[in-house]
């Protein structure tokens, strides 16, 4: 129909301006019969007649043409001069032999001379010249607005001016929104990659057309539209490559039968209790105006909403809400069901989805099995009544830029040799722990923001061994990091601050590495090691905590070295209740109480530390505090450099102790010591 309208336009212009010549007859033969029965005939005839007869296009037509943004139209209305008498092409013979009557009204188009390689270019005939040069842009755009995309591309091939007008972003935006519904162009530069852009900020002039080309070959799930589409072939001529289905299951069946390449657009609506088992590399994306994922909702009340199986290694699902919403939210038969279930040997991409589960016994996303390696990015996994993201049984995957919040249990569980890569996720306001790794769970966590969870921000248990790098773990309602029951892990270059309890807890034979972190402004201590805890505490900046920067107690024996422990509201290092450990090459300064406290049967080794500028004593042994103090530099304290009292008996050797306002070493109240070489 669009081609017919265009051909009809060309015919009428040629008819009114130049008469019945060969070109007009050619277009007439192709289009006249169909055009007579077209509902657009009167409109088209009026536009052509108006453009040729009147000097100006009426203002209301201009307003209709340009729409709400008429003032900002990229095209200025081109006014033509009134032509009461038009002559043929100004050749010598026509000027000498033509009568006055022959040139009245619109005149006849002169016969075009043959053009040889030696002859000069002749000017265009009046009809052709008028159509290509003088017909106002708004009129041409109005006519082009009746064309579909393929005919618009053909019109662009006619001449330079038509090419410019046929690429008008307003035309293509209207076509684009009619097909895909997006109010911002959805770019698809390569497989598995989709993103929306702001047209005003895009580097190319017509992002609507560019996106149309990228998305053109695909199937559409649009309930109720398929019957209308297939019963009106003339209206949608040129869109034979587009397929329409009423259900997602039907569209997946079309993929299996090779009706199309596997790109599926799911349009606005709620799709309930469809069986979506994906075992081929399909691409399924929501298509809706505004915030797409809010308008396209897929939910199940009986089974997992999406199940990815072997064969779906390159599948893509994006820009939709995925819900598991069982009628009986606590029934045990739901324990294996999830919003997303990703099984062995598949690696789909899940992108820009909202994921919700109201079931109390199953996670929202479950990734399990050898070879399960999805990419989940830009998703919102929140408000679930169990775990948000569960990775287990040797599963891996990449999880980036997700929002994980307000889940009843952990935001993320990693278990049984699961080994994901988790980057730049925002994990917060959980009703339990933020991240929980246990039973040999592993993983690499980088640049995540973990905060305001009810229990610890990050919990490690039972031989779990994650690597946590450059994360922020803060404002936990209990602690920041909790490592217990033989947990391990590497925590490197993180910011751990403003937690209600200790920034880091280590207990029950756990042995993590805490290196290069900033641990500060905690409502209790910085690092708390107790109950046979171990660990390497190295190169950290620990300051501004309400209790001791590092506290070691109850047979714990960590290695503490190369740390800066300063400006605490309590002491720097507090070793008590038979605490042990090697404390070496640290700088401990400007703390409110003692730089180092050793008490109640504790026996640490303190060597090569700089302990200075404290507001009380430098190193304080009391209540049977013991241990070794050697090769340290202890200076500039408000009280003495070292105090020993009440049954304490440390070994003190090769230390520099100076600048204390109450002396170097003070022994009293049954204190003892052995210090063969000291410099006081």
């Amino acid at each position: 129909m669009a081609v017919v309208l265009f051909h009809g336009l060309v015919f009428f212009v040629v008819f009114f301006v130049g008469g019945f010549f060969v070109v007009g007859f050619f277009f007439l033969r192709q289009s006249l019969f169909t055009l007579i029965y077209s509902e657009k005939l009167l409109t088209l005839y009026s536009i052509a007649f108006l453009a040729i007869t009147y000097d100006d296009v009426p203002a209301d037509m201009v307003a209709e043409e340009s729409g709400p943004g008429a003032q900002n139209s990229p095209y200025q209305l081109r006014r033509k001069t009134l032509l009461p008498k038009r002559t043929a092409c100004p050749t010598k013979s026509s000027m000498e032999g033509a009568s006055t009557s022959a040139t009245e009204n619109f005149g006849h188009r002169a016969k075009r001379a043959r053009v040889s390689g030696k002859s000069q270019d002749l000017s265009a005939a009046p009809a052709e010249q008028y159509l290509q040069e003088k017909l106002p842009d708004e009129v041409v755009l109005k006519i082009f607005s009746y064309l579909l995309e393929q005919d618009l591309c053909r019109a662009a091939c006619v001449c330079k001016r038509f090419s410019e007008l046929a690429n008008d972003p307003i035309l293509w935006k209207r076509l684009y929104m009619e097909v895909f519904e997006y109010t911002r162009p959805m770019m698809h530069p390569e497989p598995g990659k989709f993103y929306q852009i702001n047209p005003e900020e895009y580097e190319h002039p017509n992002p609507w057309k560019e996106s149309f080309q990228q998305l053109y070959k695909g199937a559409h799930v649009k309930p109720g539209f398929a019957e209308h589409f297939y019963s009106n072939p003339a209206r949608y001529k040129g869109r034979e490559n587009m397929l329409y289905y009423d259900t997602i299951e039907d569209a997946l069946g079309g993929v299996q039968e090779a009706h199309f390449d596997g790109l599926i657009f799911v349009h606005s609506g709620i799709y309930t209790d469809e069986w979506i088992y994906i075992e081929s590399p399909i691409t399924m994306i929501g298509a809706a105006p505004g915030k797409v994922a809010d308008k396209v909702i897929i939910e199940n009340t009986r089974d997992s909403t999406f199940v990815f199986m072997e064969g779906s290694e390159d599948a893509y699902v994006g820009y939709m809400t995925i819900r598991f919403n069982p009628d009986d939210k606590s029934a045990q038969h739901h324990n294996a069901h999830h919003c997303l279930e990703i099984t062995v040997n598949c690696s789909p991409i899940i992108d820009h989805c909202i994921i919700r589960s109201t079931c109390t016994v199953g996670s929202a996303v479950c990734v399990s099995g050898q070879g399960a390696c999805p990419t989940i990015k830009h998703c919102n996994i929140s408000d679930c009544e169990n775990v948000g993201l569960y990775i287990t049984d040797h599963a891996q995957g990449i999880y980036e830029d997700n929002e994980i919040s307000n889940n009843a249990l952990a935001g993320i569980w990693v278990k049984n040799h699961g080994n994901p890569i988790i980057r730049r996720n925002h994990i917060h306001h959980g009703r339990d722990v933020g991240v929980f790794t246990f039973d040999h769970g592993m993983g690499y966590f980088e640049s995540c923001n973990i905060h305001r969870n009810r229990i610890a921000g990050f919990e490690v248990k039972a031989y779990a061994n994650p690597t946590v790098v450059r994360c922020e773990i803060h404002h936990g309602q209990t602690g920041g990091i909790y490592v217990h029951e033989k947990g391990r892990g590497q925590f490197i270059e993180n910011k751990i601050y403003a937690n209600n309890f200790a920034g880091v807890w280590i207990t029950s034979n756990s042995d993590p590495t805490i290196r290069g972190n900033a641990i500060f402004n905690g409502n209790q201590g910085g690092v708390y090691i107790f109950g046979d805890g171990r660990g390497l505490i190295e190169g950290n900046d620990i300051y501004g905590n309400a209790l001791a920067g590092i506290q070691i107690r109850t047979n714990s024996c960590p290695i503490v070295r190369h740390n800066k422990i300063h400006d605490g509201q309590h002491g720097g290092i507090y070793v008590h209740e038979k605490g042990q450990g090697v404390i070496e090459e640290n700088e401990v300064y400007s703390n409110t109480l003692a730089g180092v406290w050793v008490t109640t049967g504790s026996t640490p080794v303190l060597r090569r530390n700089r302990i200075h500028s404290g507001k009380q004593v430098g190193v304080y042994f009391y209540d049977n505090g013991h241990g070794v103090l050697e090769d340290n530099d202890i200076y500039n304290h408000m009280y003495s450099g070292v105090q020993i009292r009440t049954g304490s008996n440390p070994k003190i050797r090769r230390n520099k102790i100076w600048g204390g306002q109450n002396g170097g070493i003070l022994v009293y109240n049954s204190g003892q010591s052995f210090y063969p070489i000291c410099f006081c």
Side-chain angles (χ1 to χ4, degrees), residues 540-543 548-550 560 563-568 571-573 583 586-591 595:
N540 302 284
D541 189 7
I542 304 172
Y543 62 93
I550 296 177
V560 179
N563 301 283
K564 290 184 177 182
I565 306 165
H566 60 98
D567 295 293
I573 299 173
I583 302 170
N586 302 282
E587 185 173 9
V588 184
Y589 62 96
S590 299
N591 295 286

Side-chain angles (χ1 to χ4, degrees), residues 12-19 21 48-55 80-91 94-95 98-110 123-136:
F12 279 116
V13 172
V14 171
F15 173 77
F16 282 108
V17 180
F21 283 92
F49 182 79
L50 186 66
I52 295 169
T53 307
Y54 295 101
D55 194 39
K80 61 184 180 59
T81 57
L82 187 62
L83 299 174
K85 296 183 179 181
R86 295 183 61 178
T87 60
C89 293
T91 61
S94 63
M95 292 176 65
S99 63
T100 303
S101 60
T103 59
E104 290 181 350
N105 298 326
F106 295 105
H108 293 285
R109 186 174 182 177
S123 59
E128 182 180 345
Q129 181 182 13
Y130 184 82
L131 180 61
Q132 296 184 5
E133 298 178 9
K134 295 185 177 181
L135 188 65

Side-chain angles (χ1 to χ4, degrees), residues 519 525-528 542 545 547-551 565 570-574 591:
I519 306 171
V527 179
Y528 180 30
I542 304 172
N545 297 286
L547 299 182
I550 296 177
Q551 184 177 169
I565 306 165
H570 197 269
I573 299 173
Y574 183 26
N591 295 286

Side-chain angles (χ1 to χ4, degrees), residues 76 108 225 373 432 477 522 639:
Q76 299 296 324
H108 293 285
F225 187 76
C373 190
D432 198 89
Q477 295 182 34
Y639 297 174

Side-chain angles (χ1 to χ4, degrees), residues 397-420:
I398 298 173
Y399 308 82
E400 295 180 328
D401 303 299
N402 300 291
E403 183 87 9
I404 303 173
S405 66
N406 196 36
N407 296 292
L409 296 183
I412 300 175
W413 271 13
V414 183
K415 178 184 177 184
N416 193 21
H417 303 281
N419 192 17

